[in-house]
Amino acid sequence: MMSTIHVPTMAEMMAQGQTPDILFWVGCSGSFDDRAKKITKALVRILNECKVNFAVLGAEESCTGDPAKRAGNEFTFQMQAMMNIQVLDGYEVKKIVTACPHCFNTLKNEYPELGGKYEVIHHTQLIQELINSGKLSLKDGGVFKGKKITFHDPCYLGRANDVYEAPRVLIEKLDAELVEMKRCKTNGLCCGAGGAQMFKEAEKGNKEVNVERTEDALETHASIIATGCPFCNTMMTDGVKNFNKEHEIQVLDVAELIANAAEL
Amino acid sequence: MIAAIIFSVLLIGGFGWFGVNILKIRSNILLGRDVNRKDKPGERWATMALVALGQKKMFKRPIPAILHLGIYVAFVITQVELIEIIYDGITGSHRAFMASLGGFYTLVISIIEVLSVAALIATIAFLSRRNILKLPRFQKPEMKGFPTFDANLILCMELILVFCIFTMNGADEALYLRGASHASHEAGSFGFAISSWVGPHIFGGMSTETLLVLERIGWWGHWFMVLAFLNYLPYSKHFHILLAFPNTYYSNLEKKGKFTNMEAVTNEVKLMLDPTADPFAAPAPDGGAPQRFGAKDINDLTWKNLMDSYTCTECGRCTASCPANITGKKLSPRKIMMDTRDRMVEYADGKRKNGKDYEDGKSLLFDYITEEEIWACTSCNACVEACPVNIDPLAIIVDLRRYLVMEESKMPTELTGMLTNIENNGAPWQFSPSDRGNWIHED
């Protein structure tokens, strides 16, 4: 039985005269996509367990503008960015965590030039901090002990921002066997969703990118594909279905792995 | 005497023509918009030292890296010999530095010979990779015709150059053994690492007259190849041997995920969001002609994009790592770079010939690069990561997209819907913004 989650909004906190230490930027996928919502909740369970003083924007959050910018529409991107910056600065946000590498990249790298300067971390980095500081402990022999897990590097976390270690450290904390795909880290292969591809049909080719990537994952004979991005999660899940392997290999976000292992 | 004059004319003509072409390339690159790449000199020098000088990114694939290193080091070190060739050529002397340098001379020429053998092996390996093993990345559609010929020609020139070096030194060794070399009239051996050992086997049985001719063929052949090579470079993908250095120096030092901020748009958006702004205010006096949003043609790109295109040696590592290309889509990052260079040369030559106001009615986008290619990109940065000389094809792709979307409103229909959703609902999907927090209370 999962415990009920506690998710204060910035508005509620402000009404009580409180300031959270960190804003959890949920992102469009994490807010609206049924699969991604599970990742969102897994992260919240971890934050609740560690008594992290956080809040979300709730209905005041809006798209960061990432897909607009990648699609070439700088106007829509900057409109979104400036409105978001007004909201964030209104709440005096200093630190942001997000489970979406696209939000992570945009907030971290592209907002500063428009006036929005925040410390932005990916949820795998935050969870690593929580474990390192002893706030979160994983029980020995958790559900993933000895399992083969492979990690799919999200382009916007890895190559775009050089974050390769945090998710891998977490997988190793599970007492699991981390097996790398032939294309990994800097040489990782995209899931096919980046650059606004998530929102359109692929151009004519001879294969879908997520199918090609799923082949890499299946070659490792892992029982779990770990992801760190809601879009990668969708693409890899679809890829696994394409091979009718959904009973043999699971696609789970690193936050879900940790929450499950910690029995949250 | 006549030989010295011919030599000097070739020297001045060859280097002069090369200089003219370098200035032409420089002016072509400067057709691009300005971008500041002069900050952080320390980091820039370090990047250049590691990536260009140290070949750091080549070593992602060890076998071609080692072969390439062989040619690269041989190429650089062999240039030392040019000093003596030029001195001998102008003065009509022969191995002028041998007597004064003594053992050091033997050492330097020996190093050059050993490296030349390494280069010979690498060149043969590279020719086989292209023409016998037919590596997939060298067989892509954009490699048809001149690009393949260009690559093979350069490799053949390298072969000839190495053969000239060994003909020259080998024949001279055979002559020296008979006391007939112009270097010294006593009988002896130069003691060079390769030619003093192989030379007598190949050339030992030939007549002194033949050897004197062969030695000259080797010497002049070497000199002709140097000049031919030098003056072919500006027309060839092989120009990377020079541009790799400035190109890595001027690398993009930002995180790869950070796309450029368009300041012209920022000003517009600020006006839109600022209720007190005067929409009829006169534009800034120093504004100049309004710039295009994004890039349609060469002069909309930055000089760094254009330098990238001249630096590209068409190795295809970008294309081999591109998820779109791997899955059979039309996008090839290498083709983006080749198209950019081809269009730049066409555009610049047109202007030089017909005056600076000349327009040929063509553009990089549409006439060279199709919409289908640029929409296939996932912006994953694999091409940028793969490039051994820090070329950024993604920057060009993004600027072409910006032009299509912001100037022509041309994009796949699903993207129109996605953008409308972001504008109206604050999410790429059609959900109500007020439902954004619903997940908190759902089971």
Side-chain angles (χ1 to χ4, degrees), chain A residues 65-97:
Chain A
D66 161 83
K69 184 155 182 128
R70 301 319 124 183
N73 195 327
E74 186 78 2
F75 276 100
T76 306
F77 163 71
Q78 290 200 12
M79 288 290 281
Q80 288 300 123
M82 297 226 200
M83 289 190 290
N84 284 324
I85 291 167
Q86 280 181 357
V87 173
L88 291 167
D89 288 351
Y91 285 118
E92 294 181 0
V93 169
K94 301 273 181 296
K95 189 172 177 181
I96 300 174
V97 63

Side-chain angles (χ1 to χ4, degrees), chain A residues 41 61 63 113 156 197 201, chain B residues 375 377 379 414 426 436 442:
Chain A
K41 288 183 177 176
E61 192 186 279
C63 174
E113 270 181 78
Y156 274 83
Q197 297 293 334
E201 287 295 314
Chain B
W375 286 118
C377 172
S379 76
E414 308 100 301
R436 194 177 264 268
E442 288 168 0

Side-chain angles (χ1 to χ4, degrees), chain B residues 1-17:
Chain B
M1 187 57 200
I2 291 170
I5 292 169
I6 293 172
F7 182 89
S8 303
V9 168
L10 284 174
L11 176 73
I12 294 163
F15 279 82
W17 185 241

Side-chain angles (χ1 to χ4, degrees), chain A residues 156-212:
Chain A
Y156 274 83
L157 186 65
R159 266 194 303 269
N161 286 290
D162 305 316
V163 179
Y164 299 106
E165 282 314 302
R168 289 183 166 76
V169 168
L170 293 181
I171 291 167
E172 278 164 2
K173 296 265 186 219
L174 300 167
D175 263 346
E177 184 192 344
L178 173 64
V179 280
E180 295 289 0
M181 294 183 229
K182 66 180 181 200
R183 290 180 274 211
C184 64
K185 298 183 185 171
T186 55
N187 298 324
L189 184 76
C190 180
C191 69
Q197 297 293 334
M198 183 77 186
F199 307 101
K200 62 182 264 295
E201 287 295 314
E203 274 59 34
K204 207 166 73 60
N206 50 33
K207 205 187 230 181
E208 295 296 331
V209 175
N210 65 331
V211 171
E212 172 89 12

Side-chain angles (χ1 to χ4, degrees), chain B residues 205-380:
Chain B
M206 297 179 185
S207 71
T208 303
E209 292 70 33
T210 310
L211 289 175
L212 285 168
V213 173
L214 277 177
E215 194 278 337
R216 283 293 92 186
I217 287 175
W219 192 91
W220 281 97
H222 189 162
W223 178 237
F224 277 125
M225 285 319 295
V226 167
L227 292 177
F229 202 86
L230 189 70
N231 281 290
Y232 181 59
L233 277 187
Y235 303 95
S236 162
K237 74 185 193 91
H238 214 59
F239 200 56
H240 84 282
I241 61 173
L242 297 176
L243 272 186
F245 294 89
N247 202 64
T248 48
Y249 181 85
Y250 294 122
S251 294
N252 178 16
L253 300 176
E254 302 284 352
K255 290 276 185 226
K256 290 192 187 72
K258 181 184 173 180
F259 287 14
T260 51
N261 186 57
M262 296 178 69
E263 272 178 50
V265 173
T266 311
N267 297 335
E268 300 275 329
V269 172
K270 275 187 180 154
L271 274 180
M272 282 192 265
L273 292 177
D274 181 2
T276 62
D278 174 9
F280 303 108
D286 60 342
Q291 220 177 45
R292 235 175 219 155
F293 291 120
K296 181 189 182 189
D297 209 352
I298 291 309
N299 42 2
D300 303 321
L301 294 170
T302 69
W303 62 261
K304 182 56 172 55
N305 297 144
L306 301 183
M307 183 186 270
D308 273 357
S309 77
Y310 263 129
T311 310
C312 176
T313 195
E314 301 163 11
C315 72
R317 289 175 184 220
C318 51
T319 294
S321 69
C322 172
N325 195 279
I326 288 169
T327 54
K329 278 94 179 169
K330 282 218 175 101
L331 173 64
S332 163
R334 168 171 58 189
K335 179 177 173 290
I336 300 287
M337 301 320 300
M338 293 166 72
D339 286 342
T340 302
R341 183 183 53 209
D342 292 350
R343 172 59 189 156
M344 168 178 44
V345 171
E346 179 192 57
Y347 179 87
D349 284 349
K351 296 235 165 201
R352 262 191 282 272
K353 218 168 147 188
N354 304 296
K356 67 177 167 57
D357 295 326
Y358 173 77
E359 291 297 334
D360 57 6
K362 290 207 226 166
S363 59
L364 175 63
L365 183 61
F366 308 123
D367 292 307
Y368 283 80
I369 300 171
T370 61
E371 292 164 69
E372 183 179 347
E373 289 165 68
I374 61 164
W375 286 118
C377 172
T378 67
S379 76
C380 74

